[in-house]
Amino acid sequence: MNAKRTDGRTKIAVVTGAGSGIGRAVAVELLRTGWSVALAGRRAGALEETAALAAAADRVAGGEDGAAGEALAVRTDVSRPQEVSALFAATVGHFGRVDLLFNNAGTFGPGGVPVEELSYEAWRHVVDTNLNGAFLCAQAAYRQMKEQDPQGGRIINNGSVSAHTPRPLSVAYTATKHALTGLTKSLSLDGRPYRIAVGQIDIGNAATDMTQRMRTGVLQANGETTPEPVMDVADVARTVRHMAELPLEANVQFATVLATTMPYVGRG
């Protein structure tokens, strides 16, 4: 476990989209292993459920009193600049600094809609959440990490295998995930002078509510609809924690974690 900084203090993380899915799994994994975490999401009740799950996981694991980190729930819409600013102000006000941002909040949007039928409003919603929201959170984290003492921190962006290979009828989601890779590379370069490490995890078919349809059948590039395998979301969470707990002198620039037999590598 490496949830302590070199000065012996608990590491502080901000996890967006922490009320469900991958964000919840990562937040629970960090909390139960000693990180303190600001939980960000649009539904306050769901954030409180995440905090309760982390406390329960710590008890099941036999953790000593105080072994788990402290959770701070902050209702946030990452597409709104003022709410992102308020999230980081609340985090720093409560915990004193930010060591990690897991930039996870995202939406697939109206999947299965042909390009010519996709409304601008739907396109804009996906872009505002997946790309603009990621930028706003990264910018706020960057500002804090640059000025805090000791300086630096880590940002991990949640990409997707769609950042490499699109699914049919997913133009908005795929475009934002490709853009997120550019954001990751640029932030990684610009963060070097300030000990800000930036990486990206590209995830394929983790078992969450968002991927439930994979088990019953999803459209393939050849026009067929077939079920796809999924993997335990806890395996994703452990991978993120590994990336997060590296010293700032080391960085996982890109990691791809996917269900072993999903149709991604090769044909079919």
Side-chain angles (χ1 to χ4, degrees):
M1 186 184 302
N2 186 24
K4 302 288 185 182
R5 301 199 306 273
T6 55
D7 61 6
R9 297 183 180 180
T10 299
K11 287 185 177 180
I12 309 303
V14 175
V15 176
T16 66
S20 62
I22 292 168
R24 169 173 283 179
V26 168
V28 169
E29 176 70 10
L30 292 174
L31 283 164
R32 75 168 190 84
T33 55
W35 288 70
S36 287
V37 182
L39 309 170
R42 290 181 296 176
R43 297 173 296 145
L47 299 178
E48 297 295 347
E49 290 174 5
T50 297
L53 284 170
D58 182 61
R59 288 194 298 270
V60 169
E64 299 177 358
D65 290 343
E70 181 184 356
L72 173 69
V74 185
R75 202 212 66 79
T76 308
D77 182 341
V78 298
S79 70
R80 298 179 179 275
Q82 299 90 340
E83 294 191 22
V84 172
S85 296
L87 164 65
F88 281 84
T91 302
V92 175
H94 190 81
F95 294 119
R97 62 180 285 119
V98 176
D99 296 293
L100 170 70
L101 165 65
F102 181 45
N103 226 350
N104 166 75
T107 180
F108 192 81
V113 177
V115 174
E116 68 273 19
E117 297 178 13
L118 184 68
S119 70
Y120 176 72
E121 290 74 17
W123 165 271
R124 181 63 184 267
H125 174 67
V126 177
V127 172
D128 280 345
T129 303
N130 295 4
L131 181 56
N132 293 343
F135 164 74
L136 290 170
C137 290
Q139 183 184 56
Y142 189 101
R143 288 169 172 164
Q144 174 60 31
M145 292 171 179
K146 180 180 176 181
E147 299 301 327
Q148 64 193 7
D149 185 21
Q151 188 182 60
R154 190 180 306 274
I155 299 169
I156 301 174
N157 292 324
N158 185 356
S160 170
V161 295
S162 291
H164 309 277
T165 304
R167 289 188 178 278
L169 307 180
S170 64
V171 64
Y173 182 79
T174 297
T176 58
K177 293 304 183 179
H178 275 256
L180 200 61
T181 298
L183 181 69
T184 297
K185 291 180 178 180
S186 189
L187 288 171
S188 184
L189 179 61
D190 292 344
R192 287 177 182 176
Y194 310 109
R195 302 188 75 242
I196 300 172
V198 185
Q200 180 171 316
I201 184 167
D202 297 326
I203 302 165
N205 287 14
T208 66
D209 291 343
M210 189 174 178
T211 60
Q212 185 63 37
R213 61 196 178 91
M214 304 296 179
R215 302 180 186 186
T216 57
V218 63
L219 182 65
Q220 304 296 312
N222 64 1
E224 296 179 358
T225 298
T226 59
E228 292 187 12
V230 297
M231 63 176 169
D232 192 334
V233 71
D235 294 322
V236 175
R238 284 191 290 270
T239 304
V240 173
R241 182 164 72 89
H242 166 70
M243 296 169 69
E245 292 185 342
L246 289 172
L248 292 178
E249 292 73 24
N251 187 41
V252 176
Q253 189 68 67
F254 291 97
T256 302
V257 183
L258 69 163
T260 304
T261 57
M262 71 173 289
Y264 170 65
V265 176
R267 299 176 182 268

